[in-house]
Amino acid sequence: MTDTAAQSSIKIKLFLMMILEIAIWGAWQIKIFSYMTMLGFNPDQQWLVGSAFGIASIVGIFFSNQFADRNFSAERFLAFSHVIGGLALIATAFQTSFWPFFACFITYCLLYVPTISVTNSLAFANLKDPAKDFGFVRMGGTIGWIVVSWPFIFLLSEKAGASETKWVFIVAGIISLVLAVFSLTLPHTPPRKDVEGMDKVAWLKALKLLGNPFVLVLFIVTFIDSTIHNGYFVVIDGFLQKVGISANMSMVVSSIGQVAEIVTMLILGTVLKKLGWKTTLIIGIIGHAARFSIFAFFGTPENQWLIIAVQVLHGICYAFFFVTVYIFVDAVFPKDIRSSAQGLFNLLILGIGMVVASKIFPELVVKYTVNGVVDYHQLFLVPTGMALAGIVLLALFFKPPTYGPEGEVKH
């Protein structure tokens, strides 16, 4: 097999890995807060469940980036994590009281969240040109999120209750078990024994980089954007049903954003090279500001078509900001701490942002509910303002050391 053919084969396997990896997450994300409301969980209990990703991200910095990647090959780590995580998800589906539900779900999170960093690292380690090819590989995750939403048209009814909605966890668990088997076919990515010495505290080195102004600004803005990004998932199911979209179609409508994400993933490499890090990141946050402002000012059944159409902005929101952050870290950060730096930003994107969103947004729903009706106009003005603040911070204070992934030094 030629080098070109071998690299193409690897890219396809990594692409399929991402489809399954993100499908696990996409199966339950849109419905989990509505489901917890059906089970009678109060806002504090919902916050604890929503914080499970954050807890797992903190543990992941120490485990997946300091122990797992130095003692296990990446593909075997993925296989083990997805077997146990899949079983935990299936168990979650059959828990109706809070503490058993939380115990099963956090077990899944502790095993699943580190695999997001590991799949990214495995992809970067096996791609010849990550800046060019990672967008295509990560697009597999986008497709996974889209595809997994469609079975629920048939598994859920228009007014699905808890007994039907639990299928989101069962489907996610089955996909996790499939990925566990598939992981063993991925390119062998051995543990990084070569950095066992001085790089044992790589995560501390990554934290010290926050002393650089451009890293600190990006860190703060990533926190802001990840909070409003995760807040979208907390409230979107209820909001879509409020504008007249049925319970079994809300996941499909939300997945329109992932369809648009495919296009942005395909053009991301070209956009980065032409517009550079800063402009691309700013466009990503503008997407959030535009989406939430439309929700705020046009969120009525009469404007249902607009609410559906504006979901396409999700592609810009996610790819132009979050995927750009991952590529930026791989291109700009010192090689010996890139894996830990990826984990550090994952802590924001998948952890702290989700914890804060899970606390703030259920409370916003309560605050702006009058006589059982949520005032989504007032609610969505909050993330709109946060997005505008992020845009200002990036525009005024973010000064990356290079213009884009080609490595041109800024003057």
Side-chain angles (χ1 to χ4, degrees):
M1 184 180 291
T2 65
D3 288 344
T4 301
Q7 184 63 196
S8 295
S9 176
I10 288 172
K11 282 196 290 185
I12 293 299
K13 281 191 173 184
L14 296 174
F15 179 79
L16 293 173
M17 171 190 74
M18 287 295 188
I19 287 179
L20 296 170
E21 175 75 16
I22 304 303
I24 297 168
W25 184 3
W28 59 262
Q29 176 68 84
I30 299 296
K31 289 292 186 181
I32 187 169
F33 279 89
S34 295
Y35 181 65
M36 288 192 289
T37 300
M38 294 174 194
L39 295 180
F41 296 174
N42 62 44
D44 286 337
Q45 291 173 328
Q46 293 185 29
W47 171 57
L48 281 174
V49 173
S51 298
F53 253 53
I55 295 168
S57 295
I58 294 170
V59 173
I61 281 188
F62 297 95
F63 180 73
S64 65
N65 297 112
Q66 297 305 310
F67 178 72
D69 65 355
R70 286 164 172 75
N71 294 278
F72 304 100
S73 63
E75 71 278 7
R76 289 184 179 274
F77 175 73
L78 292 176
F80 172 80
S81 297
H82 285 303
V83 165
I84 307 303
L87 294 174
L89 272 171
I90 293 170
T92 301
F94 297 95
Q95 311 307 317
T96 55
S97 56
F98 174 71
W99 286 112
F101 180 96
F102 179 71
C104 292
F105 189 73
I106 197 170
T107 299
Y108 149 71
C109 289
L110 288 168
L111 290 156
Y112 176 77
V113 172
T115 68
I116 300 173
S117 291
V118 172
T119 51
N120 285 342
S121 296
L122 189 149
F124 283 124
N126 290 281
L127 291 172
K128 285 188 175 181
D129 188 350
K132 176 185 175 184
D133 295 330
F134 183 71
F136 167 77
V137 170
R138 181 55 184 78
M139 185 179 69
T142 306
I143 292 173
W145 191 290
I146 296 167
V147 171
V148 79
S149 69
W150 286 92
F152 295 104
I153 296 176
F154 308 102
L155 291 173
L156 306 180
S157 65
E158 291 187 4
K159 300 289 184 180
S163 62
E164 294 177 64
T165 308
K166 72 180 182 181
W167 273 99
V168 299
F169 301 104
I170 297 172
V171 171
I174 292 170
I175 298 170
S176 185
L177 297 176
V178 171
L179 180 51
V181 176
F182 181 74
S183 295
L184 298 177
T185 73
L186 294 171
H188 178 57
T189 307
R192 302 189 309 149
K193 300 290 187 180
D194 56 316
V195 294
E196 181 65 31
M198 62 182 298
D199 196 41
K200 266 188 172 181
V201 290
W203 65 275
L204 285 176
K205 293 182 183 179
L207 281 173
K208 287 180 180 178
L209 284 179
L210 294 177
N212 295 325
F214 78 91
V215 177
L216 180 60
V217 171
L218 183 61
F219 196 78
I220 292 170
V221 175
T222 300
F223 165 68
I224 294 172
D225 203 47
S226 62
T227 298
I228 59 179
H229 174 77
N230 285 301
Y232 164 87
F233 293 109
V234 173
V235 298
I236 190 60
D237 191 49
F239 174 66
L240 290 178
Q241 292 187 55
K242 182 255 185 183
V243 298
I245 296 166
S246 62
N248 65 335
M249 288 299 296
S250 60
M251 290 178 69
V252 175
V253 170
S254 180
S255 74
I256 291 172
Q258 280 71 37
V259 176
E261 191 176 310
I262 294 174
V263 178
T264 51
M265 288 289 187
L266 288 173
I267 66 173
L268 180 58
T270 301
V271 170
L272 276 172
K273 290 176 182 179
K274 290 189 175 181
L275 299 183
W277 305 117
K278 184 172 182 174
T279 301
T280 303
L281 290 166
I282 288 174
I283 292 173
I285 305 186
I286 288 174
H288 264 138
R291 178 168 61 173
F292 284 120
S293 62
I294 289 172
F295 286 174
F297 292 101
F298 300 96
T300 62
E302 293 76 18
N303 295 310
Q304 184 186 105
W305 66 271
L306 180 59
I307 300 304
I308 294 173
V310 81
Q311 299 297 328
V312 301
L313 288 176
H314 180 87
I316 293 175
C317 297
Y318 189 84
F320 280 29
F321 190 86
F322 294 115
V323 178
T324 296
V325 167
Y326 289 131
I327 297 173
F328 178 79
V329 169
D330 186 71
V332 173
F333 280 48
K335 186 175 182 179
D336 63 330
I337 63 168
R338 284 176 188 169
S339 180
S340 291
Q342 292 282 5
L344 183 62
F345 277 88
N346 263 338
L347 174 63
L348 290 177
I349 297 168
L350 306 174
I352 296 174
M354 188 171 284
V355 171
V356 175
S358 298
K359 181 66 174 176
I360 292 176
F361 281 81
E363 292 182 351
L364 287 174
V365 171
V366 172
K367 179 179 179 180
Y368 293 118
T369 297
V370 179
N371 297 324
V373 178
V374 181
D375 184 349
Y376 283 105
H377 169 72
Q378 293 294 329
L379 190 155
F380 284 125
L381 288 178
V382 175
T384 300
M386 293 172 67
L388 293 174
I391 291 167
V392 171
L393 285 173
L394 277 180
L396 297 181
F397 303 110
F398 181 59
K399 299 177 181 179
T402 61
Y403 178 78
E406 292 298 309
E408 306 95 333
V409 177
K410 293 195 71 176
H411 298 288

